[in-house]
Structure formats: structure tokens, C-alpha cells
Amino acid sequence: MGKLSILREFWDFLRIRKKWWLTPIVAMLLLLGMLIFFTQSSAVAPFIYTLF
């Protein structure tokens, strides 16, 4: 329930304060974090690291 309340608060913050420009930044940070997490111990990791 704690994780859902954080998402709810963030959504309310964006909606009330009209900070829509934060949405793509947060989305890209989440995608980058998932990319690092899922390729951490796979055979694809050396190819991902060459991108950065």
C-alpha cells in the first residue's frame, strides 16, 4: 500500500501544480533504471555498456 500512495501523491502533485514537464524526466529515469537492473547479469550486458 505504501508504494501506491507514493504514486498517488506524485500524480496529485503533477496535476495540482501543473508540473507536466517532470513526467518525461521521471519516465526516462525509470526506463534507464530498469535497463540497468535487467541487463546486470545477462549476456547482453557488454553490448549495453558500449552504448554509454
Side-chain angles (χ1 to χ4, degrees):
M1 190 70 174
K3 291 180 183 179
L4 292 178
S5 66
I6 291 172
L7 291 175
R8 180 67 182 174
E9 280 188 46
F10 183 66
W11 174 252
D12 288 341
F13 172 77
L14 291 176
R15 189 172 45 94
I16 292 169
R17 304 242 196 263
K18 308 277 193 259
K19 302 283 186 184
W20 298 113
W21 57 270
L22 284 173
T23 306
I25 296 170
V26 171
M28 290 306 294
L29 286 173
L30 286 173
L31 287 173
L32 184 62
M34 286 190 309
L35 177 72
I36 291 171
F37 179 76
F38 287 121
T39 60
Q40 190 172 16
S41 63
S42 72
V44 182
F47 302 109
I48 297 296
Y49 292 130
T50 59
L51 294 175
F52 300 105

